[in-house]
Amino acid sequence: MPALTSVILDSRLWRIFLLGVSSGFPWLIIGSGMSAWLTDEGLSRSGVGLFGVIFVAYTINFLWAPVVDHLRLPVLGALGQRRSWTLLCQALLVLLILVLSLNDPSSDLWLTAAIALIVATVSATQDLSIDAYRITVIRADEPHLVGPAAAMTTCGWWTGASLPGVAAFWLADDLGWPLVYKGLALFMLAVALFTYLVIREPERPAASVRRAANLIAWLDSSYFDAVAEFFRRNGMKMALAVLGFIFLFKIGEAFLGRMAIVFYKEVGFTSEEIGTYSKLVGWWVTVVCSLLAGFISVRYGVIRVLFAAGVAMAAANLLFSWIAVVGPDTKLFALAVVVDGITAAVSTVAFVAFISEYTSRLHSATQYAALASLGNSSRTLLSATSGILVTQLDGDWALFFVITALMVVPSLLLLAWIACRFHARS
């Protein structure tokens, strides 16, 4: 188990944290921030839920992962493969957030959705480069740093998705969302400048540079070979079980997350209370627990931690059912946010470490993107129906959260099978 000082002193892990901030920030822009903006504009629950379809970009980004993995950008390519793609995406995000701030969702919802979809696509492309950086910057002879690296990227992601959101929700009622989004664009610009100054290009395997005579040969060497290598390395049954687990594990959390802001507002919490408890308190809990989870995963093993986190994640959802029954009780809200933050942090760190362990360094962006996209599909395509489910339940939020708690059960059964096969092989 690595010492805490190894995390504090290893500059690579802090760079991973910074990139995590950049990865999580767009989820505030087109996630919780946009949900609040649309709710304030009077959009229905089903409309807010279906707006989440834009996150399909995170589900299909594996389709262009080989491009990010192997295609050198003109001019910017001199900065390195990972740096150039990351900086390009960050620059585009700054411009797109400014465009969003100039648009009025109430007058042209389709245009807002189109811009948000482009934001999601650029963000999903940025994730390809960032995930590949994280996997390759940790050398093959440093498996003890996989958990801490997953912890730092999780801390960064929640920092980007939550901390700027504290100010955004505090100021939204007074300044309005358009002006708040202009401020958020400036934050993204600051992140891009820090990325340019502190990120260093990691070493990559020589075989990762692909040159082929034609498109078919290039696809075969960069994409199809990545898929085939995954199944060869794990075997068909284990590979399918891993894929099934990745797809199912986050469904309940995704349904909760998609409707959380709508739920908070319908129950009666103000934007300021949402910013304070959901964003600020949630951020502290998540960051601290993410760091601890990185060490716990190394000490007890990723599979054990995932199983425990899955059970705790289901139990945490039941607290939101309690809020639905009791009403806008800020003390209960704080408790639910703390418990949910703990379970989300531990489960996310272990989940990222789990996917990373099944990713080849040769095809880092392509394989990680495919596995992460599979997990994101439940957070995007399926969770987009969350608003419809609440409506079908006649607004029974308590029952809705009970259902989300039960959604984790199939994935835990698959994880138990994976654990048995893993121990049988050992």
Side-chain angles (χ1 to χ4, degrees):
M1 183 174 179
L4 180 59
T5 52
S6 67
V7 175
I8 297 175
L9 298 177
D10 196 322
S11 61
R12 294 173 300 171
L13 297 179
W14 288 104
R15 293 180 185 125
I16 288 173
F17 172 83
L18 173 62
L19 292 176
V21 172
S22 185
S23 177
F25 183 66
W27 287 75
L28 167 63
I29 300 300
I30 55 177
S32 60
M34 184 58 67
S35 293
W37 191 354
L38 295 176
T39 300
D40 289 344
E41 294 292 338
L43 196 65
S44 67
R45 299 188 202 108
S46 299
V48 174
L50 289 173
F51 198 87
V53 171
I54 62 173
F55 289 93
V56 70
Y58 294 92
T59 302
I60 63 173
N61 66 345
F62 69 92
L63 295 175
W64 60 90
V67 176
V68 178
D69 233 347
H70 305 299
L71 181 64
R72 179 185 172 91
L73 289 172
V75 184
L76 282 176
L79 297 173
Q81 190 73 6
R82 305 310 179 202
R83 289 183 74 207
S84 60
W85 276 98
T86 302
L87 287 167
L88 172 64
C89 292
Q90 290 174 339
L92 291 174
L93 285 172
V94 172
L95 294 175
L96 289 166
I97 296 168
L98 284 174
V99 172
L100 268 179
S101 73
L102 299 174
N103 187 60
D104 182 4
S106 62
S107 62
D108 199 338
L109 184 60
W110 284 106
L111 178 59
T112 301
I115 299 170
L117 177 59
I118 299 174
V119 172
T121 302
V122 173
S123 174
T125 303
Q126 178 191 223
D127 284 356
L128 295 173
S129 182
I130 289 175
D131 289 330
Y133 173 89
R134 174 176 50 79
I135 291 168
T136 53
V137 78
I138 303 299
R139 299 191 306 272
D141 61 346
E142 298 175 312
H144 60 284
L145 289 179
V146 172
M152 292 301 280
T153 196
T154 302
C155 288
W157 193 96
W158 281 104
T159 297
S162 299
L163 203 55
V166 176
F169 277 88
W170 280 353
L171 298 173
D173 289 342
D174 294 329
L175 301 181
W177 286 106
L179 187 55
V180 166
Y181 266 58
K182 289 181 175 65
L184 293 174
L186 291 177
F187 178 85
M188 186 70 241
L189 178 61
V191 171
L193 290 174
F194 272 106
T195 299
Y196 175 76
L197 292 173
V198 307
I199 298 300
R200 300 291 178 264
E201 186 70 11
E203 294 183 6
R204 305 175 65 207
S208 64
V209 180
R210 301 289 187 185
R211 288 183 171 83
N214 54 61
L215 177 62
I216 300 300
W218 185 82
L219 287 173
D220 179 64
S221 64
S222 61
Y223 181 73
F224 297 117
D225 183 58
V227 176
E229 191 276 339
F230 174 79
F231 281 92
R232 284 196 306 269
R233 178 161 40 89
N234 297 293
M236 182 62 70
K237 289 183 179 180
M238 178 63 83
L240 291 176
V242 169
L243 295 177
F245 168 75
I246 290 172
F247 176 75
L248 295 170
F249 185 62
K250 290 283 188 176
I251 290 180
E253 180 185 299
F255 267 71
L256 184 153
R258 188 70 214 146
M259 282 289 102
I261 299 297
V262 179
F263 169 66
Y264 299 151
K265 285 186 169 289
E266 286 196 11
V267 168
F269 293 111
T270 66
S271 292
E272 185 176 350
E273 288 172 335
I274 294 171
T276 299
Y277 294 101
S278 178
K279 298 299 181 182
L280 184 57
V281 175
W283 174 74
W284 276 106
V285 172
T286 303
V287 167
V288 172
C289 291
S290 294
L291 290 173
L292 294 175
F295 295 102
I296 293 172
S297 297
V298 175
R299 175 65 178 82
Y300 295 102
V302 171
I303 291 180
R304 288 181 181 177
V305 174
L306 272 175
F307 198 92
V311 174
M313 190 166 54
N317 284 20
L318 298 179
L319 281 172
F320 291 93
S321 292
W322 191 2
I323 294 176
V325 174
V326 173
D329 185 322
T330 54
K331 291 181 180 178
L332 185 55
F333 187 17
L335 175 63
V337 167
V338 169
V339 174
D340 184 60
I342 293 171
T343 58
V346 176
S347 63
T348 300
V349 169
F351 192 60
V352 170
F354 180 85
I355 295 177
S356 299
E357 288 185 0
Y358 283 92
T359 300
S360 164
R361 293 175 62 84
L362 180 60
H363 303 285
S364 53
T366 305
Q367 284 192 3
Y368 189 92
L371 296 176
S373 295
L374 186 61
N376 283 330
S377 64
S378 61
R379 300 174 63 184
T380 54
L381 300 178
L382 297 182
S383 66
T385 63
S386 55
I388 297 175
L389 177 58
V390 177
T391 301
Q392 290 296 317
L393 295 173
D394 294 324
D396 190 341
W397 287 103
L399 180 57
F400 171 77
F401 289 118
V402 170
I403 293 173
T404 63
L406 295 174
M407 288 179 177
V408 75
V409 174
S411 67
L412 295 182
L413 294 176
L414 272 175
L415 186 62
W417 185 88
I418 293 171
C420 291
R421 288 295 299 267
F422 180 80
H423 289 303
R425 287 182 177 183
S426 301

